[in-house]
Amino acid sequence: MRVFLTADLDLRGIVKLLRREAVQLEDHISNTAREIVAAVLAEGDDALCRYTLLHDGYPIDTAAIEATALELAAAAAEVTPVDAEILEQAARRIDEYHQQQLRALGNEDWHYQEGEGIKLGQLARPLKRVGIYAPGGRAVYPSSVLMAAIPARVAGVSEIFLVSPLRNGRLNPLVALAARISGINRVFKIGGAQAIAALAYGTETIPPVDKIVGPGNAYVAAAKKQVFGQVAIDMIAGPSEILIIADRKSDAALVAADMIAQAEHDEMACAILVTDDTSLAARVEDEIARQLIDLPRGDIARRALKDHGAVIISRDIAEAFELANLYGPEHLEIMLPQPESWLKNVTNAGCVFLGESTPETLGDYMAGSNHILPTGGTARFSSPLGVYDFIKRTSLVYFSPENLAALGAAAARFARLEGLDGHARSINLRIKRK
């Protein structure tokens, strides 16, 4: 792993060296996705069937694109009762977290009166239809199905669709069960860029949605980027990342375990330790070497830590938080005594984990908070997926004829300052009639 000392480099210099590049999509990926999106827009279901056979390797006809209730039930029934209860428990906790979020957000219309004849306010309305992408190949994430669908349902979205490719000709049982638990209305057995295009533009079988959320491969990311504007999307997610702030009292074995847990995602994952104690840094590196020996995905984690891991020695803990805020990590672990006392120092992070008994893995599965988080430094300006992503707001304005006169003349003059005489006339006509 790389080692940096803040005594040798300024913080911005270190962050620049650590900086994750914005998600870059190779030209051939973008071009292929563009071809698929255009074909689905032009040909509908026929293109879905053709590209599913070409890229996902299984035949599907237009009558079988949507999974039936019997198919979903049969697939979900393959999950053992013990595993099914784990998904149910996770879903209950995710639901409760997002119900709390909804209460804090406030999902009701509001307005205020300005005197007798002016009313200003806002209407809050859920999106009508949302599409969720779930990978179905080597990477299967039923947890992400729960994380995407449950806040949409809590927000009041009336139609939630899932698209997910088959593997070996069958639905993944865990994905099928997650779909049933989370209240998804319809499941379509397609994946890839063609599934994104179908959700964006609609086909004979799949109605168009208002927003697409959920992780996918590079072709899915490219298609989401291309259809943005036709529909909303959650984000173009980059590699997963963690930044841990620890001191001399921290348990080196736990710090190492959490860095490895992040690094085993893939070879692009980022795992960073920031500490003011050189002794802890050395112990963590020793622990990482020891724990990697028998890890099934050890080669992946080892490469990620070599290329994208880092240990940073700061002058003090306050400086560690300065660096963390500049970096804007997806996951921030505060492995310090009385970790809550440091929250005032946090401005940029996707999710904060407090104390040694709160590993990031809890947030991935069972805590209840959403694990679809901003990556690549975008925590500086964006938020975790939540109820608010599925509620749109509409401004509300009312002026009585008497109150129109009071502000209308100023508004008309303002319009003329911008050279928009038609705007001014629309007000002055009303004032004259009054």
Side-chain angles (χ1 to χ4, degrees), residues 135-153:
R138 288 177 297 174
V140 177
Y141 302 114
S143 58
S144 292
V145 175
L146 300 178
M147 296 288 179
I150 290 174
R153 175 171 52 73

Side-chain angles (χ1 to χ4, degrees), residues 16-351:
K16 187 175 181 180
L17 292 171
L18 295 174
R19 177 56 57 202
R20 301 79 80 204
E21 295 297 325
V23 179
Q24 299 293 333
L25 298 168
E26 299 290 338
D27 286 345
H28 75 276
I29 292 175
S30 295
N31 291 338
T32 300
R34 189 174 295 108
E35 171 194 312
I36 294 171
V37 169
V40 172
L41 178 58
E43 303 171 43
D45 284 350
D46 289 342
L48 289 185
C49 296
R50 185 170 73 255
Y51 284 110
T52 295
L53 179 61
L54 179 63
H55 293 298
D56 292 323
Y58 60 90
I60 193 166
D61 60 44
T62 55
I65 290 173
E66 183 172 0
T68 66
L70 286 176
E71 283 181 281
L72 286 171
E78 295 182 39
V79 181
T80 68
V82 171
D83 290 340
E85 175 51 32
I86 288 174
L87 263 70
E88 294 273 9
Q89 184 182 11
R92 289 193 294 270
R93 296 187 60 82
I94 296 165
D95 185 277
E96 176 55 28
Y97 180 91
H98 290 89
Q99 293 285 355
Q100 294 286 352
Q101 194 178 69
L102 184 67
R103 286 189 279 273
L105 172 70
N107 67 323
E108 298 178 352
D109 300 350
W110 58 264
H111 70 267
Y112 63 92
Q113 296 283 142
E114 193 177 313
E116 287 296 317
I118 299 177
K119 182 186 292 186
L120 300 171
Q122 184 172 276
L123 307 178
R125 300 289 185 267
L127 302 181
K128 182 179 187 297
R129 189 181 291 141
V130 166
I132 296 168
Y133 189 91
R138 288 177 297 174
V140 177
Y141 302 114
S143 58
S144 292
V145 175
L146 300 178
M147 296 288 179
I150 290 174
R153 175 171 52 73
V154 170
V157 175
S158 55
E159 294 181 82
I160 306 173
F161 298 166
L162 178 72
V163 291
S164 187
L166 302 180
R167 188 178 185 190
N168 299 323
R170 58 199 294 270
L171 286 164
N172 181 275
L174 291 169
V175 169
L177 180 59
R180 298 185 76 195
I181 289 171
S182 57
I184 286 171
N185 303 101
R186 301 174 70 180
V187 176
F188 300 98
K189 300 176 289 184
I190 56 167
Q194 63 270 24
I196 299 301
L199 290 174
Y201 296 106
T203 71
E204 298 89 335
T205 302
I206 304 175
V209 302
D210 303 312
K211 187 165 190 171
I212 301 172
V213 302
N217 63 18
Y219 293 95
V220 169
K224 284 172 74 174
K225 193 170 185 178
Q226 288 170 21
V227 301
F228 175 63
Q230 172 69 25
V231 293
I233 63 172
D234 50 353
M235 64 186 77
I236 304 296
S240 195
E241 57 200 34
I242 191 169
L243 188 148
I244 300 172
I245 297 178
D247 65 7
R248 62 183 178 82
K249 296 180 180 178
S250 302
D251 188 321
L254 297 182
V255 174
D258 290 359
M259 293 179 73
I260 290 171
Q262 201 66 32
E264 76 170 350
H265 271 290
D266 61 66
E267 294 178 352
M268 298 295 291
C270 305
I272 297 167
L273 167 64
V274 187
T275 181
D276 62 347
D277 185 67
T278 55
S279 173
L280 175 73
R283 296 198 308 275
V284 167
E285 291 204 76
D286 289 343
E287 276 291 335
I288 287 174
R290 185 183 67 78
Q291 292 183 32
L292 282 174
I293 291 172
D294 61 350
L295 189 73
R297 294 173 65 88
D299 288 344
I300 293 172
R302 197 172 286 109
R303 176 61 64 85
L305 289 166
K306 176 179 179 292
D307 294 342
H308 305 287
V311 174
I312 301 169
I313 312 298
S314 61
R315 293 180 178 87
D316 53 36
I317 293 299
E319 186 181 57
F321 279 94
E322 287 183 54
L323 192 145
N325 288 326
L326 288 171
Y327 186 79
E330 178 188 16
H331 307 104
L332 172 64
E333 286 190 357
I334 304 178
M335 281 204 186
L336 302 169
Q338 301 175 326
E340 285 189 64
S341 67
W342 290 97
L343 282 176
K344 63 182 181 296
N345 294 69
V346 177
T347 56
N348 298 328
C351 186

